[in-house]
Amino acid sequence: QSLGLPITDEQIQEMEANLDNIDFKMAAEEEKKLRHDVMAHVHTFAHCCPKAAAIIHLGATSCYVGDNTDLIVLRDGFNLLLPKLARVISRLADFAEKYADLPTLGFTHYQPAQLTTVGKRCCLWIQDLCMDLQNLERARDDLRFRGVKGTTGTQASFLQLFEGDHSKVEELDRLVTAKAGFKRAYMVTGQTYSRKVDIEVLSVLASLGASVHKICTDIRLLANLKELEEPFEKDQIGSSAMPYKRNPMRSERCCSLARHLMTLVLDPLQTASVQWFERTLDDSANRRVCLAEAFLTADIILSTLQNISEGLVVYPKVIERRIRQELPFMATENIIMAMVKAGGNRQDCHEKIRVLSQQAAAVVKQEGGDNDFIARVRADPYFSPIHKQLESLLDPSSFTGRAPQQVAKFLKEEVRPALVPYQSKMGGKIELAL
């Protein structure tokens, strides 16, 4: 109307007055008869607006309705997920800060490696989630509106309505895009916006799924080691057959759902690859499933992970015991250095330690005993010059390098600033219904 088409105020007022007056029964009957969802609602809306019936859907195509709506929903879906992801990062950041200095055995290949700290390990999880936060923000901000493009994207019907006035067609496109809350529209489309957009959207959600799967797998492995556990309710049953079990079922649920989320990106990949020319309809049913499922799955994964991160339990004594079992072998280089400083020969000391460590390893592996390497060092007169230093040489905190400093710097310079836009939406703890 503002661009000059003969549309009356009365017609506009009639449509506005009936926006929420939807006869879903009639729409269902129309769709059954017409086999077309958008036209079923066009007819239903027109029935409520007899004065405006002649101009409803004028010049438009179904994808003007469906695709533009999908883009609004995708944008709004990201806006729902982002604060939830930020909350998870915030909870884990608090956990990392609390345990920044607590030494724990590191693992490479799931074999004992150099020590790290509980907080530093958590920062590995946080860094992945911060990348996901950035990726979700980028995917949301990269979304454009399909806009007013017509049946094959040429805007031919609108050019005809405006009697060849290209500037009015462009202005209509701009106005509708702005009304939908988008800064930009795609400059070229077929009947649909490019289905590669859906690939971008589901790729970042699938990537989030991979992050969560890794985090929750780590938690499950640590639960087996009894070093860390997810929340476990007072009356919760871990197993119907084994009453003592404390299964990490929340983390297992996250892994299960994350596995599904990661597979959903295959749908838009295949859909985009088989869109013929300006479009074909084999995208429609598929997209109605995979797009909605991806956002819903990501949503419940983040809710569950927030619940986990708010109730993580650490068992320092178990962690300390495992360190004591492995640290003596890791301390051998420190022992050699101390002996050399005390006047010993590096090669002689190396051979002594090699023999004693092999004997201690045999006790652990063949007899199932504890690591007695340090006891053997104390009993050997050769090492008497450093016997008084052994306690300090075995201090776990001297083996964690800069882990505590890395945690503090990472949280201060990268994590906390990324959460600033979401501070007002951090909310309280979350309880799971089941």
Side-chain angles (χ1 to χ4, degrees):
Q1 185 198 52
S2 64
L3 292 170
L5 289 189
I7 296 170
T8 66
D9 289 341
E10 188 179 24
Q11 288 174 314
I12 293 173
Q13 290 164 7
E14 185 184 52
M15 289 189 291
E16 287 178 339
N18 285 280
L19 278 177
D20 299 316
N21 179 24
I22 304 172
D23 187 339
F24 287 102
K25 183 178 180 181
M26 178 182 178
E29 291 171 352
E30 288 288 332
E31 184 171 353
K32 186 176 181 180
K33 179 174 64 177
L34 302 173
R35 296 293 177 180
H36 197 291
D37 53 355
V38 173
M39 283 305 296
H41 277 277
V42 168
H43 281 222
T44 303
F45 192 35
H47 180 76
C48 298
C49 307
K51 295 175 182 176
I55 53 117
I56 290 174
H57 205 59
L58 183 63
T61 184
S62 298
C63 289
Y64 168 76
V65 178
D67 272 32
N68 281 325
T69 301
D70 285 343
L71 290 161
I72 292 171
V73 170
L74 294 176
R75 179 197 62 197
D76 293 353
F78 278 128
N79 286 336
L80 291 172
L81 291 181
L82 281 163
K84 288 195 166 194
L85 178 53
R87 282 198 293 271
V88 172
I89 294 171
S90 175
R91 305 306 192 259
L92 290 176
D94 293 341
F95 178 86
E97 191 170 45
K98 181 178 179 180
Y99 294 101
D101 301 315
L102 182 61
T104 189
L105 188 64
F107 291 97
T108 59
H109 313 272
Y110 201 35
Q111 301 300 313
Q114 281 191 344
L115 267 58
T116 182
T117 69
V118 172
K120 170 63 192 307
R121 175 178 283 150
C122 182
C123 284
L124 298 178
W125 305 340
I126 295 170
Q127 181 167 251
D128 286 352
L129 293 176
C130 282
M131 292 173 66
D132 293 316
L133 187 75
Q134 187 177 40
N135 288 338
L136 263 65
E137 289 173 339
R138 175 189 52 77
R140 177 199 61 191
D141 295 344
D142 282 351
L143 286 174
R144 302 189 193 185
F145 206 49
R146 179 187 177 272
V148 184
K149 297 296 193 299
T151 54
T152 59
T154 65
Q155 300 176 306
S157 56
F158 295 101
L159 188 63
Q160 184 176 357
L161 283 172
F162 289 109
E163 298 179 348
D165 191 330
H166 290 269
S167 63
K168 286 188 175 182
V169 176
E170 290 185 2
E171 181 66 3
L172 177 65
D173 202 358
R174 189 193 66 77
L175 287 171
V176 175
T177 297
K179 277 185 176 290
F182 285 81
K183 295 179 180 178
R184 297 180 299 170
Y186 295 108
M187 293 186 70
V188 294
T189 72
Q191 190 170 91
T192 68
Y193 68 78
S194 171
R195 293 312 183 215
K196 283 185 72 69
V197 174
D198 296 342
I199 297 174
E200 294 294 312
V201 169
L202 263 64
S203 288
V204 298
L205 296 181
S207 184
L208 171 63
S211 300
V212 174
H213 201 296
K214 184 265 192 290
I215 292 167
C216 291
T217 299
D218 282 357
I219 292 172
R220 292 162 65 193
L221 293 170
L222 290 168
N224 172 260
L225 299 177
K226 297 181 175 61
E227 292 188 8
L228 180 145
E229 283 184 342
E230 66 177 35
F232 200 89
E233 315 294 343
K234 176 178 174 291
D235 297 319
Q236 183 174 330
I237 294 175
S239 167
S240 61
M242 296 165 279
Y244 61 88
K245 292 287 287 294
R246 292 172 67 92
N247 299 333
M249 63 90 166
R250 290 170 172 84
S251 297
E252 290 174 316
R253 180 184 301 167
C254 282
C255 288
S256 182
L257 291 169
R259 195 177 307 139
H260 176 60
L261 179 56
M262 287 186 284
T263 65
L264 288 174
V265 72
L266 295 175
D267 275 345
L269 281 167
Q270 295 184 68
T271 295
S273 72
V274 296
Q275 282 297 285
W276 302 345
F277 305 113
E278 280 64 48
R279 81 85 52 104
T280 180
L281 196 61
D282 64 346
D283 64 333
S284 180
N286 185 289
R287 295 175 66 254
R288 292 171 198 234
V289 175
C290 70
L291 293 178
E293 277 201 11
F295 278 87
L296 289 168
T297 305
D299 182 83
I300 190 57
I301 286 174
L302 289 174
S303 294
T304 308
L305 186 56
Q306 180 184 337
N307 177 262
I308 293 169
S309 61
E310 289 171 346
L312 288 173
V313 181
V314 177
Y315 296 104
K317 294 297 182 183
V318 178
I319 293 172
E320 183 183 349
R321 184 179 66 194
R322 183 159 286 106
I323 289 175
R324 286 200 308 268
Q325 292 172 347
E326 301 293 341
L327 192 59
F329 292 151
M330 297 180 191
T332 54
E333 187 174 3
N334 288 11
I335 293 172
I336 292 173
M337 297 298 182
M339 279 296 296
V340 171
K341 287 180 181 178
N345 179 286
R346 192 265 178 195
Q347 312 313 329
D348 293 341
C349 184
H350 184 279
E351 178 59 20
K352 283 275 189 182
I353 288 177
R354 187 190 69 80
V355 172
L356 295 181
S357 62
Q358 293 294 334
Q359 292 170 352
V363 170
V364 173
K365 294 179 180 179
Q366 297 173 21
E367 301 175 20
D370 292 330
N371 188 333
D372 63 359
F373 172 71
I374 296 301
R376 292 174 186 273
V377 171
R378 289 187 190 279
D380 192 323
Y382 174 82
F383 293 99
S384 58
I386 63 164
H387 280 170
K388 293 181 179 179
Q389 300 179 46
L390 284 176
E391 287 300 322
S392 61
L393 291 173
L394 289 167
D395 179 6
S397 63
S398 67
F399 290 84
T400 58
R402 298 191 63 253
Q405 291 75 19
Q406 288 178 342
V407 171
K409 186 177 178 68
F410 174 59
L411 295 181
K412 179 182 178 181
E413 296 186 11
E414 292 198 22
V415 179
R416 303 294 187 192
L419 299 179
V420 169
Y422 306 98
Q423 287 300 331
S424 63
K425 299 179 180 179
M426 286 303 171
K429 286 191 173 184
I430 190 169
E431 299 294 334
L432 296 179
L434 292 174

